């Protein structure tokens, strides 16, 4: 396995919409495994392929505390949204920035798993938030996009300053 480089906001590659995965082959499974390892090592609770500059509809999520609940979503689609919940979110592509985002409180999602089997999942709470956050990535959207223009400008300035320092 390998740790992949995570693209940092406001890199425009984060705005690339992901394409559907046509076939889950050995290369797809290797990518899934590398994404999981990258997420765990960050550490984070979710990662979309978009964030490692691969524009395919693949998400990995594990909201457990002991890394025991890895969930893989290939070509995910939300078929039900219910309720409203506001939660503080962060993102591995926007490290150190956290803010409230309003989303559906519960969702139903259908997707393919690592073996290409279709499944349907009803999720609420942190898992539902995480699924919606990662699905946004596949559409080229980052949670910062939900914040006010003022906040977005602040986040952008902070990130650019940090990237200049690191360079
Ligand atoms: Ni994110």
């Amino acid at each position: 396995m390998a740790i992949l480089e995570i693209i940092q906001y406001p890199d425009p590659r984060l705005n690339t919409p992901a394409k559907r995965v046509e076939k889950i082959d050995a290369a797809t499974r290797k990518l899934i495994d590398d994404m999981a390892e990258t997420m765990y090592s960050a550490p984070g609770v979710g990662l979309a392929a978009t964030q490692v500059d691969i524009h395919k509809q693949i998400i990995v999520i594990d909201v457990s505390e002991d890394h025991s609940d890895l969930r893989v979503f290939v070509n995910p689609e939300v078929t039900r949204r219910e309720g409203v919940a506001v939660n503080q979110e962060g993102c591995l592509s926007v490290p150190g920035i956290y803010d409230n985002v309003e989303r559906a409180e519960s969702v139903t999602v259908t997707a393919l798993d690592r073996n290409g089997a279709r499944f349907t999942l009803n999720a609420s709470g942190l898992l539902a938030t995480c699924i919606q956050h990662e699905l946004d990535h596949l559409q080229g959207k980052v949670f910062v996009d939900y914040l006010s223009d003022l906040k977005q400008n602040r986040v952008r300035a902070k990130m650019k300053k940090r990237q200049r320092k690191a360079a």
Side-chain angles (χ1 to χ4, degrees), residues 46-48 51 89-94 133-134 137 141-143:
L47 187 72
Q51 293 176 273
E89 295 186 20
C91 180
L92 294 177
S93 292
V94 203
H133 175 119
E134 302 307 333
H137 276 302
K141 202 163 178 180
V142 182
F143 85 97

Side-chain angles (χ1 to χ4, degrees), residues 37-149:
E37 194 183 14
T38 302
M39 171 182 74
Y40 286 134
S41 94
V45 294
L47 187 72
T50 309
Q51 293 176 273
V52 294
D53 201 25
I54 294 176
H55 302 286
K56 292 179 180 173
Q57 294 178 15
I58 303 173
I59 287 168
V60 293
I61 291 176
D62 188 340
V63 295
S64 74
E65 286 190 357
D66 57 355
H67 297 181
S68 63
D69 192 23
L70 179 64
R71 294 168 189 269
V72 175
F73 303 80
V74 178
N75 299 340
E77 279 174 51
V78 171
T79 57
R80 178 191 62 97
R81 294 168 202 272
E82 232 172 271
V84 176
V86 177
N87 285 295
Q88 193 175 63
E89 295 186 20
C91 180
L92 294 177
S93 292
V94 203
I97 307 288
Y98 303 90
D99 215 319
N100 287 335
V101 178
E102 182 182 304
R103 299 196 187 267
E105 197 279 325
S106 73
V107 295
T108 299
V109 59
T110 68
L112 304 177
D113 67 14
R114 191 178 176 280
N115 298 313
R118 181 165 295 282
F119 66 95
T120 299
L121 174 73
N122 293 310
S124 59
L126 176 58
L127 182 58
T129 299
C130 205
I131 288 169
Q132 293 171 84
H133 175 119
E134 302 307 333
L135 264 149
D136 272 357
H137 276 302
L138 299 183
Q139 290 171 3
K141 202 163 178 180
V142 182
F143 85 97
V144 177
D145 300 343
Y146 291 103
L147 307 181
S148 67
D149 288 348

